[in-house]
Amino acid sequence: MPILAPIGRVFLAFLAVVGRVTVFAAKTLLHCVTPRFYFRLILKQMCEIGYFSLPVVAMTTLFAGMVLALQSYSGFSRFSAESAVATVVVISITRELGPVLAGLMVAGRVGAAIAAEIGTMRVTEQIDALVTLSTNPFKYLVVPRVLAGLVTLPILVFIGDILGVLGGYMVGVNKLSFNSGAYIQNTFQYLETLDVVSGLVKAAVFGFIITLMGCYQGYYSRGGAQGVGQATTNAVVSSSILILISNYIVTELFFVR
Amino acid sequence: MSNSPKISLTDLHKGFGTKKVLQGVNLDVAAGESVAIIGGSGTGKSVTLKCVLGLLTPDSGSVKIDGVEMVGAGRNAQDAMLAKTGMLFQGAALFDSLPVWENVAFGLIEGQGTDRKKAYDIAIARLADVGLGAEMADMSPASLSGGMQKRVGLARAIATQPEILFFDEPTTGIDPIMGDVINDLIVKCTRELGACALTITHDMASARKIADRIAFLYQGKIIWDGPVADVENSDNPYLQQFISGNTEGPLDLDLKHL
Ligand SMILES: Nc1ncnc2c1ncn2[C@@H]1O[C@H](COP(=O)(O)OP(=O)(O)OP(=O)(O)O)[C@@H](O)[C@H]1O
Ligand SMILES: [Mg+2]
C-alpha cells in the first residue's frame, strides 16, 4: 500500500526523536547532579529566565483572573450561583491557568531565546570551541538553563497566582459589586493546599520541559541561520505541546484516584 | 627525535552520508615539529583537525596523541588530551556572550582554575602578542572585525601554553604585515616554547615560514609530505600545480566549464 509507507516512516522518525530527547534529558539530569557546577551561570540564567519573564507572566495572569471573574459571574448568575465566583477564580488560577498560561508564555519567550542562542553557538562552532577548552557543553550551557527553569517557573507561577486572584478581586469588587471582605473570605474558604502545590509542581515540570526543549533543539541544530530559525520554531512548538500533554498527566496524577 | 610521534594519524576515513571526505589520511607529527597541511578548498583539512580533536568521530582509522589511541577513547583520556591542546577555529568561534579578555582567558579560568585577576593579566599579554591593545579587552567579540576575531581566537588557543597546537587558517583574512606578526608568533610557540603545531593554510609564504614540513591533502589522502625545502623541487605534478596556482594541470578542480 503506497499510503502505509509514509505513515510508517513518519512514525519511525517520531520514535527516533522521542529516543533522542529522552537520552538528552537523561544526560542533562546526570550532569545536574555531578560536579562541576557553574553557580554564576545558574544565577545569570535565573535572572534571564525568571526575572525577565515576570512582566509577561504578571500581565497574563492578572488579565486571566479578571476575565475569569467576569465570565464565571455572567455564567453562574443564570442559576444564581454568583457567590461561587471567588472560589472558581482562585481554583482555576492556581490549578490550571496560572501554570499553563505562564508556561506557554515563557515557552515563547525563553524557549525560543535558548534555542536561538545555543543553535547559533552550534553553527558557529562555539560549542566545539568549548570542548577544546576542556569545558563540558552540557554542564556549561544546558544544566544552568534547565536548573534555572526548574527553580524559577514555580516562583513565577506563585506570583502569577497572587496576581490572578488579585485581578479577580478587582473585577469582583469594582465591577460586580461584591463585598470586599466576603470576596476574600470566599477565596480562601474552599482553597486547599493541594490546589496551589499541584500548580507549582506543574510549573516545575513546565520549566524543565521549556528549557530542555530549547537546549535540545539548539544543541542539534545545523545548517546555518536557517537551521537556527527552524530550531527556534521547533523549540516553541514542541515545548508548547509537551506542556499541554504533561499538564493533563500531572493533573490526573494529583486528582484522580 | 623521540620514537613515538606526538600526533599520529593512520588510515583515517571520514564521510558525510554518501560523500567520502577523508579516504585514508596518514600523517605523523613529532614533538616540537610544525607541520602545515595545504590543499584545495573543501578537501577535508578542517575535517581532519576535528577528527584529531575528537569533535568528529572518524569512520575508521586511528588517531594517536602521545601514543594514546583517541578514537573510541573514554572521557578521561579525551579530557587529558584536550588539556594539552589548543585550537584556533577557521571562523574563530569566539563566545559572543563573553568579552574579549574572558574569551582569551577561558581555558585558564574554566580549564585550569586560574583566578580571574591573574587570568586577566595573562589575557592582556596574549592579546598584545597578536597585536591587539588592552582597550579591546572589554569589547564584545561581535563588534570586532573578522581579522581581529581571528587574532583573538589565536590568543585564546595559545593562552594556556598547550603542548599541541592546531591552527585552522591563522592568517586568512589578515593583512600581510599582521600576517607576518602571526607567523612569528606561531614560530615562537613552536621553536621557542617547544610545542608541536599542525597548521592548515592556503598561504604558501606563511607555510614556508612556520612549518618544518608540509603535507598536501588531495582527494582524501596526503599525497605528498616532506620538508619545506623540498616543496619547490618536488616532482609531484599535483603539488607543483597547487603551489604555482595554475588552472592547467592534473588537479581535478571540479570546475564546470561552460
Ligand atoms: N558537518 C558536516 N556535515 C556534512 N558535510 C561536511 C561537514 N563538515 C564538512 N563537510 C564536508 O566535508 C568537506 C570538507 O570540508 P572541510 O571543512 O574540511 O574543507 P576544508 O579543506 O577545510 O576547506 P577550506 O579550505 O575551504 O576551509 C566539504 O565538502 C564539506 O561539505
Ligand atoms: Mg577549512
Side-chain angles (χ1 to χ4, degrees):
Chain A
M1 284 288 274
I3 194 141
L4 286 180
I7 294 177
R9 230 184 343 262
V10 168
F11 186 64
L12 286 180
F14 173 73
L15 287 185
V17 171
V18 171
R20 272 204 299 273
V21 173
T22 311
V23 170
F24 192 86
K27 259 173 103 175
T28 303
L29 289 174
L30 185 71
H31 283 293
C32 278
V33 294
T34 49
R36 87 175 252 211
F37 304 106
Y38 293 91
F39 292 108
R40 280 166 71 105
L41 294 178
I42 297 175
L43 281 180
K44 185 175 164 218
Q45 289 303 327
M46 286 173 82
C47 228
E48 203 85 32
I49 296 172
Y51 185 67
F52 292 121
S53 297
L54 206 48
V56 186
V57 171
M59 291 296 282
T60 330
T61 46
L62 183 71
F63 280 97
M66 286 164 67
V67 84
L68 201 59
L70 273 187
Q71 287 282 25
S72 50
Y73 182 83
S74 72
F76 288 2
S77 60
R78 291 174 200 166
F79 43 93
S80 338
E82 295 93 335
S83 61
V85 166
T87 313
V88 167
V89 168
V90 71
I91 290 185
S92 325
I93 290 282
T94 53
R95 279 164 69 148
E96 275 301 317
L97 291 177
V100 172
L101 286 178
L104 293 176
M105 295 310 285
V106 174
R109 210 191 78 84
V110 171
I114 292 178
E117 185 178 5
I118 296 187
T120 305
M121 292 186 74
R122 163 63 70 199
V123 301
T124 56
E125 301 183 323
Q126 291 178 49
I127 294 185
D128 288 341
L130 270 182
V131 173
T132 65
L133 291 163
S134 304
T135 301
N136 187 316
F138 264 85
K139 292 198 190 305
Y140 189 81
L141 295 174
V142 179
V143 167
R145 285 169 173 79
V146 171
L147 283 183
L150 208 57
V151 173
T152 53
L153 253 261
I155 300 174
L156 277 176
V157 166
F158 190 73
I159 297 171
D161 285 351
I162 294 170
L163 286 169
V165 170
L166 182 69
Y169 169 84
M170 283 176 354
V171 170
V173 171
N174 297 327
K175 274 254 174 295
L176 311 172
S177 50
F178 277 93
N179 173 280
S180 161
Y183 189 96
I184 294 175
Q185 203 208 348
N186 279 342
T187 297
F188 292 105
Q189 194 171 15
Y190 299 107
L191 186 66
E192 291 173 17
T193 318
L194 196 60
D195 296 329
V196 179
V197 169
S198 71
L200 299 185
V201 170
K202 283 179 179 181
V205 173
F206 299 165
F208 180 75
I209 289 173
I210 293 165
T211 46
L212 186 84
M213 291 316 290
C215 292
Y216 169 82
Q217 296 290 353
Y219 199 82
Y220 290 109
S221 68
R222 70 186 118 215
Q226 197 186 3
V228 175
Q230 187 76 53
T232 310
T233 313
N234 289 349
V236 176
V237 172
S238 58
S239 53
S240 302
I241 293 175
L242 285 174
I243 282 175
L244 295 176
I245 296 175
S246 63
N247 179 44
Y248 178 81
I249 296 173
V250 176
T251 309
E252 190 171 302
L253 288 178
F254 265 102
F255 298 109
V256 179
R257 50 204 91 213
Chain B
M1 216 162 271
S2 75
N3 40 10
S4 133
K6 221 41 186 167
I7 308 169
S8 171
L9 313 182
T10 319
D11 199 27
L12 206 59
H13 283 76
K14 177 71 188 174
F16 297 98
T18 55
K19 178 173 184 177
K20 293 191 173 62
V21 178
L22 304 182
Q23 306 178 54
V25 170
N26 291 294
L27 185 67
D28 283 356
V29 183
E33 194 181 26
S34 172
V35 174
I37 301 181
I38 59 173
S41 196
T43 45
K45 304 183 296 299
S46 299
V47 169
T48 308
L49 282 202
K50 286 183 191 163
C51 285
V52 177
L53 281 161
L55 299 172
L56 291 172
T57 312
D59 299 335
S60 66
S62 136
V63 174
K64 286 204 174 96
I65 308 273
D66 275 333
V68 181
E69 177 61 56
M70 297 312 308
V71 179
R75 274 264 302 283
N76 291 343
Q78 195 85 31
D79 288 347
M81 181 271 281
L82 291 169
K84 57 188 173 195
T85 57
M87 162 84 177
L88 164 65
F89 285 83
Q90 191 168 355
L94 301 180
F95 307 126
D96 33 36
S97 57
L98 298 177
V100 164
W101 82 265
E102 273 194 68
N103 265 280
V104 177
F106 196 91
L108 295 163
I109 297 173
E110 304 299 347
Q112 304 189 339
T114 314
D115 78 55
R116 293 174 70 83
K117 182 76 197 61
K118 204 166 145 219
Y120 179 83
D121 296 338
I122 298 175
I124 297 296
R126 292 293 83 78
L127 283 171
D129 286 344
V130 295
L132 294 172
E135 72 278 4
M136 300 281 173
D138 288 315
M139 287 174 77
S140 148
S143 60
L144 301 183
S145 77
M148 285 163 144
Q149 292 184 2
K150 206 59 169 280
R151 281 142 68 191
V152 175
L154 184 68
R156 183 175 71 181
I158 61 174
T160 54
Q161 301 208 326
E163 296 165 38
I164 307 174
L165 289 162
F166 300 99
F167 300 122
D168 198 339
E169 308 198 3
T171 54
T172 308
I174 290 175
D175 68 83
I177 297 166
M178 197 42 76
D180 219 45
V181 172
I182 303 290
N183 289 338
D184 288 338
L185 182 64
I186 294 175
V187 170
K188 183 178 147 210
C189 289
T190 53
R191 306 246 161 89
E192 288 173 29
L193 303 176
C196 91
L198 191 54
T199 308
I200 293 173
T201 183
H202 290 292
D203 176 355
M204 284 308 297
S206 161
R208 284 192 190 93
K209 187 154 183 193
I210 63 173
D212 305 315
R213 235 165 39 152
I214 287 187
F216 182 44
L217 185 65
Y218 178 63
Q219 291 193 338
K221 288 196 172 87
I222 302 285
I223 60 163
W224 189 89
D225 170 12
V228 173
D230 293 357
V231 171
E232 308 304 320
N233 317 321
S234 94
D235 50 9
N236 187 311
Y238 296 98
L239 182 62
Q240 280 313 322
Q241 188 199 341
F242 187 82
I243 59 172
S244 64
N246 219 324
T247 47
E248 299 295 321
L251 289 176
D252 182 3
L253 295 175
D254 273 342
L255 294 176
K256 303 275 176 286
H257 291 287
L258 296 172

